[in-house]
Amino acid sequence: MSNTAESVDDPLSHWINKLESLENNPAAFLPKLKRCCTTFQLDERYRNDSRYLCLWIAYADTTENPLKVFSRMKSKGIGVQLSLFWCAWAMASFAQSND
């Protein structure tokens, strides 16, 4: 499958490629990461996609209140069928309780 066809069938892959190219530029990366997360939050194809979940976890790690982000994810059903979601939320809760 060509990259163009893959981007049409899986628009998240296009975003991931773009984000990977911006990893060394936090000023550009963080707004794009947030936009990517919010763009697909109602797209059921990605609700329990581990790639999408990892993007949300990365976004939560950049916020002042990651627990609020995890709560939002849960309310939208993002990642709730993946153990990584629950582990990441638990780790964020533990980290906050130790602050």
Side-chain angles (χ1 to χ4, degrees), residues 38-99:
T38 57
T39 295
F40 296 107
Q41 67 185 343
L42 300 177
D43 192 328
E44 291 193 25
R45 291 178 292 179
Y46 299 119
R47 287 261 164 84
N48 289 292
D49 184 311
S50 60
R51 301 169 304 155
Y52 186 51
L53 175 58
C54 287
L55 294 173
W56 270 99
I57 292 170
Y59 170 64
D61 285 344
T62 70
T63 66
E64 287 186 27
N65 189 349
L67 300 182
K68 185 176 179 181
V69 175
F70 282 102
S71 181
R72 177 179 178 189
M73 292 166 63
K74 183 182 178 210
S75 73
K76 299 203 177 285
I78 297 168
V80 297
Q81 293 180 1
L82 301 171
S83 60
L84 177 59
F85 170 79
W86 300 103
C87 290
W89 195 352
M91 289 175 60
S93 296
F94 180 76
Q96 183 169 323
S97 70
N98 285 330
D99 282 344

Side-chain angles (χ1 to χ4, degrees), residues 1-11 13-14 17:
M1 178 184 302
S2 73
N3 282 342
T4 304
E6 181 178 311
S7 293
V8 171
D9 294 339
D10 181 18
S13 68
H14 168 75
N17 291 336

